[in-house]
Amino acid sequence: MTTNAGSRDTIEALLREGRRFEPSPQFAAGANAQPGIYAEAESDYLAFWKSWADKLEWSQPYERVLDWNEPFAQWFVGGKLNASVNALDRHVAAGRGGRVAYYYEGEPGDRRAITYEELLRDVCRFANALRSLGVKRGDRVALYMPMIPELPVAMLACARIGAPHSAIFGGFSADSIVDRVNDAQCVAIVTADQGWRRGKHVPLKATVDAALAHTPSIRHCIVARRVGEPVAMRAGRDLWWDDAVAGQATMCEPEPMDSEALLYLLYTSGTTAKPKGIMHTTAGYLTGVTATHDLVFDLKDDDVYWCAADIGWVTGHSYIVYGPLCNGATSIIYEGTPDFPDRDRLWEIVERYKATILYTAPTAIRTFMKWGVDYVRKHDLSSLRVLGSVGEPINPEAWMWYYENVGGGRCPVVDTWWQTETGAIMIAPLPGITTLKPGSATKPFPGVQADVVDEQGNSVPLGGGGYAVLRRPWPSMLRGIYGDPERYKETYWSKFPHMYLAGDGCSRDEEGDYWFMGRIDDVMNVSGHRISTAEVESALVDHAAVAEAAAVGKLDAVTGQAICAFVSLRGMDTGSPALADELRAHVAAKLGKFTMPKYITFTQELPKTRSGKIMRRLLRDIAEGRMLGDTTTLADSSVVTELQERAKQEAAKDA
Ligand code: PRX
């Protein structure tokens, strides 16, 4: 096992966890998933996925379920369909147009209920607007937007005309927009004047303006009005959303898309500084998200479902937009932070809309724990019946707190493991069937074949740990990395033959339940956001004072990991708190605020092997204040003593 010692510590602690929660007989009796489902899916996994694909609306039936030319998959080959038709039109056609698709709650307190009919109309008008600007099938469209209804509208409008969208999380910097837009050669970008965050304005359009100086492929910038303050508009390139849709027809003929047509790109961090444009296509992706959304959350007709993630990440794509809408669900979208105007905002929203399903992240749960249970107790949460967790390992204490205080001890907690690359949930309990264990994502979803393997790729017997892998293709799997098939093969399919490498460490208990331990590669997970060490390092080295930098993740009680940067400066500079702040601001400007290192330790030298490689494992040990393991390969051991001392001082600031 190659995970760092910190992860091993975590896993040992997890394995001592002995609490178990059996499903209640009432829940089990009415659950969407019934016990035969695993065996049935295992007996013919293609037939299982086919049964879900057949619930979609097709304009041309497919010929074959799967063509597998490892590592390239094609699902539901030969079929045609449109994602926006599946999300909207068919519900309206079935007489369910008056059903609420989204309860929208803005941070300042503005509220709207948007029905399927209204959403379809808005999507059609915006799709027509895009078409009239010359955006065609196959063109890529960037979305840099706050959590406003125009964001799902823009996504579905793109899908309607066959133009893949590439959403860029609204916390990213101008430089990050430039990289993503240029990689995908987007022809248009959709943004908003500004966004709301904790009562303050986020300057989205201004950030886009800075980016657009370096993105020659962009012809149009469409700006939704959210905050209403004046922003610069460049004639010929920029136009207001309202003007773009004015006079557009409320019907828009959908493009019949091939099953394998690109639906969207979503960039994610890997082990190099260049983000990977993860490709998701149409039919398989919709099949995966609808099946998992239905079964993992036990979705019922009268549910009010709330995924509190940001649509700018994959969780929002799959479980705010495509999964719930294709399933005809009623969802909540909330724009802002959980502590505005006070720390009970989430619970107030649950109470107001009588939310029945809540899906959030461990980092949020740990924050609520820190704030104290009184904020939760102020509200009536008795409507809740299923709770979900995603984004990072959930520690048993946080799981129990969520289960008891939010779920009142009656709601199953589904800890869902998956990735941008997997498109949909891969390992999670099925409420009503699965015995829950705090801290475990439990079992692979029906039809999914996961495993834990050792360094040689051999399956590790139950009770042991190793690398998490997936052993057969699944419909919502990434189809590749945009423009870089070699990197796709190399990253995911080269370490072990015939296995998809997830990059996570994992162990299984004697009953075959999965316990995830975090990343094994140089990717940090801060508040559920994947951030590559290489990106943070190159942002640091970009500062004139910095000679060399190394970033590592340090275990953090609230955010899972916090970024810890070790920096050596040019000349004889030894650093100062002011310079540390300047470097943080520099990283924020290069990549986005959420990537700012929490700790910065200045050092004359970074610990390196004799061949000059930075010893990250050692740095992680130093950051986390552990006894150091083997340092015999270190070129200069005096570096370490000095670093340990400085890292200790830096960490002491926490207390
Ligand atoms: O390390 C795993 C962690 O998040 C990574 C995927 O991040 P991303 O592509 O940004 O997608 C996040 C939302 C799906 C995984 O490789 N991760 C995600 N969910 C869990 C998790 N780790 C443990 N338990 C989970 N439930």
Side-chain angles (χ1 to χ4, degrees):
M1 186 61 229
T2 64
T3 49
N4 63 59
S7 301
R8 274 201 303 272
D9 291 344
T10 318
I11 208 67
E12 279 162 19
L14 289 174
L15 285 180
R16 281 196 296 273
E17 175 56 51
R19 287 167 286 201
R20 317 159 53 94
F21 298 87
E22 308 285 344
S24 79
Q26 300 90 298
F27 199 108
N32 291 1
Q34 290 296 320
I37 195 168
Y38 288 104
E40 190 193 311
E42 212 40 42
S43 72
D44 187 347
Y45 81 102
L46 294 178
F48 173 77
W49 289 122
K50 179 179 188 311
S51 73
W52 282 93
D54 290 345
K55 297 186 212 288
L56 296 173
E57 185 165 308
W58 296 83
S59 55
Q60 178 178 304
Y62 55 90
E63 288 153 18
R64 291 184 306 283
V65 174
L66 171 66
D67 281 355
W68 181 224
N69 177 18
E70 190 185 305
F72 297 98
Q74 293 195 294
W75 283 86
F76 311 112
V77 187
K80 287 195 197 299
L81 75 174
N82 183 285
S84 78
V85 169
N86 274 281
L88 304 169
D89 304 51
R90 64 177 166 143
H91 307 310
V92 176
R96 293 156 64 88
R99 191 177 159 82
V100 172
Y102 291 126
Y103 287 113
Y104 179 74
E105 168 119 354
E107 193 187 80
D110 51 319
R111 297 181 189 117
R112 272 174 74 187
I114 305 163
T115 64
Y116 275 89
E117 214 159 50
E118 290 166 339
L119 196 56
L120 173 59
R121 191 196 59 204
D122 290 351
V123 165
C124 284
R125 291 173 75 209
F126 194 63
N128 285 327
L130 288 173
R131 268 191 185 145
S132 63
L133 289 172
V135 178
K136 340 177 275 306
R137 184 188 180 109
D139 287 342
R140 276 83 53 214
V141 176
L143 311 175
Y144 182 71
M145 300 177 74
M147 287 278 282
I148 54 177
E150 286 86 345
L151 173 50
V153 168
M155 291 164 76
L156 294 164
C158 287
R160 195 158 191 94
I161 64 170
H165 52 77
S166 172
I168 302 166
F169 170 62
F172 275 116
S173 65
D175 282 0
S176 305
I177 299 173
V178 171
D179 292 345
R180 287 159 176 76
V181 164
N182 287 343
D183 187 70
Q185 290 290 293
C186 297
V187 302
I189 185 164
V190 187
T191 187
D193 51 355
Q194 297 181 325
W196 286 108
R197 191 173 164 79
R198 216 167 268 124
K200 297 211 175 70
H201 298 170
V202 183
L204 297 165
K205 174 62 165 65
T207 305
V208 167
D209 284 341
L212 293 195
H214 310 281
T215 56
S217 60
I218 295 278
R219 298 194 300 261
H220 303 285
C221 173
I222 304 158
V223 188
R225 218 182 293 266
R226 173 56 183 147
V227 170
E229 291 203 339
V231 292
M233 296 290 279
R234 180 196 285 192
R237 183 193 71 188
D238 302 350
L239 83 166
W240 291 104
W241 176 291
D242 292 341
D243 296 336
V245 299
Q248 296 291 353
T250 54
M251 264 321 293
C252 169
E253 197 53 42
E255 290 279 339
M257 302 302 290
D258 284 345
S259 290
E260 282 298 328
L262 187 63
L263 177 61
Y264 69 78
L265 295 174
L266 193 55
Y267 284 80
T268 190
S269 296
T271 52
T272 71
K274 186 177 173 347
K276 303 177 280 196
I278 301 300
M279 295 160 64
H280 282 294
T281 59
T282 308
Y285 176 77
L286 296 184
T287 302
V289 297
T290 51
T292 50
H293 182 250
D294 181 300
L295 294 170
V296 174
F297 298 105
D298 188 50
L299 186 75
K300 298 286 197 283
D301 225 31
D302 53 358
D303 272 320
V304 177
Y305 161 86
W306 185 16
C307 167
D310 192 290
I311 296 177
W313 303 109
V314 74
T315 305
H317 282 57
S318 298
Y319 298 109
I320 298 178
V321 182
Y322 290 107
L325 292 178
C326 287
N327 284 334
T330 294
S331 305
I332 297 170
I333 294 182
Y334 169 55
E335 175 182 37
T337 58
D339 54 351
F340 189 85
D342 205 352
R343 292 171 166 180
D344 64 341
R345 184 67 182 269
L346 257 50
W347 319 122
E348 185 192 307
I349 293 173
V350 167
E351 181 173 14
R352 172 169 308 112
Y353 300 100
K354 299 195 169 31
T356 57
I357 304 172
L358 175 65
Y359 191 26
T360 185
T363 183
I365 298 165
R366 289 189 295 262
T367 303
F368 302 142
M369 288 171 76
K370 209 170 79 177
W371 290 344
V373 75
D374 288 348
Y375 292 104
V376 183
R377 294 211 177 115
K378 271 169 70 179
H379 297 278
D380 175 7
L381 307 184
S382 61
S383 55
L384 288 170
R385 60 178 206 92
V386 177
L387 301 176
S389 170
V390 62
E392 44 172 325
I394 181 165
N395 43 311
E397 295 83 333
W399 194 104
M400 285 304 302
W401 188 92
Y402 194 32
Y403 179 76
E404 284 170 352
N405 297 299
V406 179
R410 70 181 182 275
C411 308
V413 174
V414 290
D415 173 10
T416 63
W417 178 87
W418 58 294
Q419 309 178 291
T420 305
E421 293 88 338
T422 69
I425 293 167
M426 292 285 107
I427 301 187
L430 293 181
I433 299 184
T434 313
T435 297
L436 305 172
K437 299 175 184 175
S440 171
T442 71
K443 296 275 193 307
F445 188 78
V448 171
Q449 193 181 37
D451 202 353
V452 172
V453 300
D454 65 17
E455 192 62 45
Q456 285 70 46
N458 302 312
S459 187
V460 173
L462 296 186
Y467 298 90
V469 297
L470 297 170
R471 283 185 176 274
R472 63 162 84 112
W474 63 100
S476 63
M477 66 192 280
L478 76 165
R479 297 303 194 264
I481 296 173
Y482 193 70
D484 202 346
E486 280 312 310
R487 190 174 177 196
Y488 167 64
K489 286 191 214 166
E490 169 64 29
T491 309
Y492 304 106
W493 297 94
S494 66
K495 186 165 174 75
F496 306 119
H498 316 305
M499 288 179 239
Y500 167 85
L501 179 75
D504 280 359
C506 186
S507 76
R508 272 181 309 204
D509 64 23
E510 303 297 341
E511 292 173 311
D513 283 316
Y514 286 68
W515 300 76
F516 282 91
M517 309 190 265
R519 304 288 305 178
I520 47 162
D521 53 20
D522 291 335
V523 176
M524 302 171 288
N525 190 324
V526 181
S527 297
H529 301 320
R530 260 164 77 172
I531 301 169
S532 92
T533 54
E535 267 184 295
V536 174
E537 287 161 7
S538 58
L540 284 164
V541 174
D542 181 76
H543 188 284
V546 176
E548 253 188 331
V552 297
K554 169 179 157 87
L555 287 177
D556 187 276
V558 174
T559 57
Q561 284 191 311
I563 301 178
C564 201
F566 294 87
V567 175
S568 72
L569 298 169
R570 288 172 192 265
M572 295 309 285
D573 198 344
T574 52
S576 63
L579 181 59
D581 284 342
E582 198 178 311
L583 294 181
R584 285 189 183 97
H586 191 75
V587 174
K590 294 291 302 175
L591 301 174
K593 269 199 185 139
F594 65 104
T595 67
M596 274 197 304
K598 180 168 176 186
Y599 309 95
I600 293 183
T601 303
F602 292 107
T603 169
Q604 299 288 320
E605 292 288 342
L606 291 170
K608 290 186 187 158
T609 62
R610 282 159 227 265
S611 64
K613 274 195 186 154
I614 294 176
M615 295 179 73
R616 293 169 185 291
R617 182 206 287 240
L618 193 76
L619 287 174
R620 272 195 294 261
D621 287 344
I622 291 171
E624 293 177 350
R626 266 189 305 277
M627 294 289 293
L628 299 181
D630 187 6
T631 54
T632 49
T633 51
L634 194 65
D636 174 5
S637 58
S638 67
V639 173
V640 167
T641 339
E642 179 202 322
L643 266 180
Q644 279 178 309
E645 200 40 52
R646 289 178 184 233
K648 225 187 274 168
Q649 289 163 10
E650 180 67 14
K653 293 183 200 151
D654 258 0

